[in-house]
């Protein structure tokens, strides 16, 4: 019974804000975009500028938990540090009895998850090389600022008119700012390390996700991605190195160099 009342209380406390609610007397809630474990993300309107913004609210039930508050403060600090045109900019913060909110740019685009699963885009090797080069350009500058994203997946990489944007810095960390990763399975551990290699590793999976969009299975037998995708030996070697199956990339610059080599080779072949 006690447990039942507790869950009802939690449900009521964590109900998303209604449409029309004003944050900081300025940001008018429109609708919920997503509900994560610590936060609720809304699309809102900045009444002063007439623009759309994203409001991320720390769940009321998480305010008293160290972990929840730490996650909120960390995301705020990371966004405040980043100043990149392809990353949402931190616009405002509200920390009062009304709640804890981060206000940032709204990136009105399509995620690669939307593009693959809703719009049925099929990415071929050349496309993937070009997309990776664009993503790496952004990530490399984050790394130069001492930040690792640690959650580079298809729902967090967007396209707006052919320009790539990176969102969701909820798991981002300053490089070397270690934390416990016990209890995670090996693959998660790789992605959660606070080193640049965790982003390289995640981008290896991102690349495979894109490449599988144009894969048509022709047998029921389970095979490795190398056997299924039949990529060029050069791209196979690069992805294997990204996934640390065969050496590893020290940084994004080396990865970019290898990808650029493939891209240039393709252009040269076309010019003949
Ligand atoms: N700046 C932004 N611009 C556009 N859409 C955004 C932005 N930030 C978040 N979103 C969208 O809002 C939704 C929820 O975002 P968010 O990533 O913050 O939380 P989540 O994915 O639900 O949870 P978690 O924090 O556990 O990843 C996602 O669909 C995401 O695409």
């Amino acid at each position: 019974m006690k447990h039942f009342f507790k869950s009802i209380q939690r449900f009521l406390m964590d109900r998303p804000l209604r449409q029309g609610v004003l944050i900081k007397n300025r940001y008018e809630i429109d609708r919920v975009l997503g509900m994560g474990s610590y936060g609720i993300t809304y699309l809102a309107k900045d009444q002063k500028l007439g623009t759309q913004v994203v409001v991320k609210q720390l769940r009321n039930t998480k305010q008293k938990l160290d972990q929840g508050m730490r996650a909120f403060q960390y995301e705020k600090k990371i966004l405040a540090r980043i100043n990149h045109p392809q990353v949402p900019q931190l616009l405002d913060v509200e920390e009062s009895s009304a709640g804890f909110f981060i206000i940032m740019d709204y990136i009105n685009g399509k995620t690669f998850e939307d593009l693959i699963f809703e719009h049925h885009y099929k990415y071929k090797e050349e496309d993937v090389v070009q997309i990776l080069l664009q993503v790496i350009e952004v990530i490399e500058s984050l790394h130069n600022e001492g930040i690792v994203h640690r959650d580079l997946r298809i729902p967090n990489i967007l396209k707006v008119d052919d320009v790539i944007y990176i969102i969701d810095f909820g798991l981002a960390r300053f490089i070397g700012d270690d934390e416990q990763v016990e209890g995670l399975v090996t693959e998660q551990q790789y992605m959660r390390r606070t080193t640049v290699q965790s982003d390289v590793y995640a981008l290896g999976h991102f690349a495979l996700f894109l490449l599988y969009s144009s894969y048509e299975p022709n047998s029921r037998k389970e095979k490795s991605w190398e056997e299924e995708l039949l990529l060029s030996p050069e791209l196979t070697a690069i992805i294997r190195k990204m996934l640390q199956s065969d050496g590893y990339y020290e940084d994004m610059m080396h990865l970019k160099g290898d990808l650029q080599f493939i891209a240039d080779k393709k252009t040269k072949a076309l010019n003949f």
Side-chain angles (χ1 to χ4, degrees):
M1 203 59 168
K2 199 168 141 204
H3 183 71
F4 174 73
F5 281 116
K6 274 220 154 133
S7 40
I8 292 276
Q9 194 184 23
R10 247 198 323 263
F11 169 76
L12 291 175
M13 278 184 79
D14 271 344
R15 252 182 326 183
L17 297 170
R18 280 197 312 271
Q19 190 180 34
V21 168
L22 269 190
I23 307 298
K24 246 187 150 171
N25 227 0
R26 170 167 179 179
Y27 307 103
E28 184 185 345
I29 298 295
D30 180 4
R31 63 183 166 89
V32 172
L33 289 174
M35 293 182 67
S37 47
Y38 291 109
I40 306 179
T41 308
Y42 306 88
L43 179 64
K45 184 177 173 189
D46 179 349
Q47 286 197 327
K48 197 165 161 193
L49 299 178
T51 51
Q52 284 182 303
V53 293
V54 162
V55 171
K56 207 161 176 180
Q57 175 191 26
L58 175 63
R59 282 171 184 268
N60 291 331
T61 51
K62 304 290 176 186
Q63 284 176 18
K64 294 206 176 65
L65 292 179
D66 259 10
Q67 243 182 339
M69 188 52 88
R70 233 192 351 246
F72 176 87
Q73 296 297 349
Y74 214 115
E75 187 167 354
K76 182 180 87 178
K77 210 158 74 173
I78 293 267
L79 284 175
R81 170 75 76 90
I82 303 172
N83 181 13
H84 192 286
Q86 287 151 276
V87 169
Q89 201 175 342
L90 177 70
L91 300 172
D92 208 344
V93 177
E94 164 79 319
E95 297 180 41
S96 71
S97 54
F100 288 75
F101 302 90
I102 290 172
I103 296 99
M104 67 181 103
D105 286 329
Y106 171 57
I107 311 300
N108 191 1
K110 298 245 178 290
T111 67
F112 278 94
E113 188 175 41
D114 299 335
L115 292 168
I116 294 172
F117 294 108
E118 282 175 33
H119 301 273
H120 308 289
Y121 270 62
K122 300 206 182 301
Y123 297 97
K124 293 200 288 292
E125 181 163 334
E126 309 82 272
D127 309 322
V128 174
V129 170
Q130 289 305 329
I131 293 166
L132 281 176
L133 281 167
Q134 288 187 59
V135 173
I136 287 167
E137 210 55 59
V138 185
I139 302 302
E140 192 181 20
S141 75
L142 297 183
H143 288 176
N144 291 340
E145 287 290 317
I147 292 164
V148 268
H149 184 281
R150 301 199 314 161
D151 203 13
L152 292 171
R153 294 178 297 120
I154 49 168
N156 294 333
I157 304 180
L158 282 80
K159 241 171 103 170
V160 184
D161 302 331
D162 281 333
V163 179
I164 298 283
Y165 286 80
I166 311 289
I167 60 165
D168 195 357
F169 285 76
L171 289 175
R173 291 288 176 274
F174 291 105
I175 293 171
D177 196 351
D178 276 320
E179 62 178 324
Q180 282 196 327
V181 286
E182 285 156 32
L184 299 179
V185 294
T186 320
E187 192 167 311
Q188 285 173 317
Q189 278 179 352
Y190 266 112
M191 313 261 277
R192 298 294 178 253
R193 285 171 315 157
T194 57
T195 65
V196 299
Q197 279 78 31
S198 62
D199 282 349
V200 175
Y201 184 81
L203 281 187
H205 280 280
F206 170 73
L208 288 183
F209 233 110
L210 298 191
L211 290 161
Y212 265 102
S213 66
S214 56
Y215 170 69
E216 306 280 349
N218 53 16
S219 95
R220 284 169 170 237
K221 212 172 119 217
E222 198 154 314
K223 296 186 200 153
S224 66
W225 64 264
E226 289 96 328
E227 291 168 311
E228 287 188 333
L229 294 174
L230 297 174
L231 306 171
S232 67
E234 290 92 344
L235 188 59
T236 304
I238 291 175
I239 299 180
R240 283 182 57 79
K241 197 164 165 183
M242 292 171 87
L243 298 176
Q244 305 194 357
S245 310
D246 212 351
Y248 68 93
Y249 280 104
E250 247 165 73
D251 51 34
M252 287 290 172
M253 198 181 75
H254 287 87
L255 171 57
K256 196 165 70 176
D258 282 358
L259 287 166
Q260 196 60 57
F261 179 79
I262 300 189
D264 292 346
K265 216 170 109 179
K266 193 90 202 161
T267 319
K268 273 196 197 129
L270 285 175
N271 287 339
F272 271 106

